[in-house]
Amino acid sequence: MNCVLPSNIKTRMTSMEGHEDSQKDLYPLGFGDVNDVASFIIYLLSENAKFISGQNYIIDSGGVI
């Protein structure tokens, strides 16, 4: 089993007033988009990743947290 560990992703919850402003300096590449994570999950579910297992994948745009 693989595990995908995303950091701040642009959603309705992270769009709440002040959240993005308070966190933007911690993420050099900015907040991720839902598609950034979904694309990677689709890859892991594909035949191309059939030999990959037991890994933790951090998707955090270079965040410092």
Side-chain angles (χ1 to χ4, degrees):
M1 178 185 332
N2 294 303
C3 184
V4 177
L5 308 162
S7 64
N8 279 324
I9 302 299
K10 292 178 191 173
T11 64
R12 282 184 279 158
M13 187 173 91
T14 59
S15 296
M16 287 192 276
E17 187 173 320
H19 178 76
E20 192 167 347
D21 290 337
S22 69
Q23 300 286 307
K24 68 180 177 185
D25 292 337
L26 301 174
Y27 297 91
L29 300 176
F31 282 18
D33 186 71
V34 172
N35 290 328
D36 296 328
V37 178
S39 297
F40 187 67
I41 292 171
I42 290 168
Y43 168 74
L44 287 175
L45 293 170
S46 76
E47 281 295 310
N48 293 326
K50 67 182 178 185
F51 202 64
I52 299 173
S53 75
Q55 301 301 311
N56 295 317
Y57 296 97
I58 299 169
I59 302 175
D60 69 354
S61 76
V64 294
I65 292 180

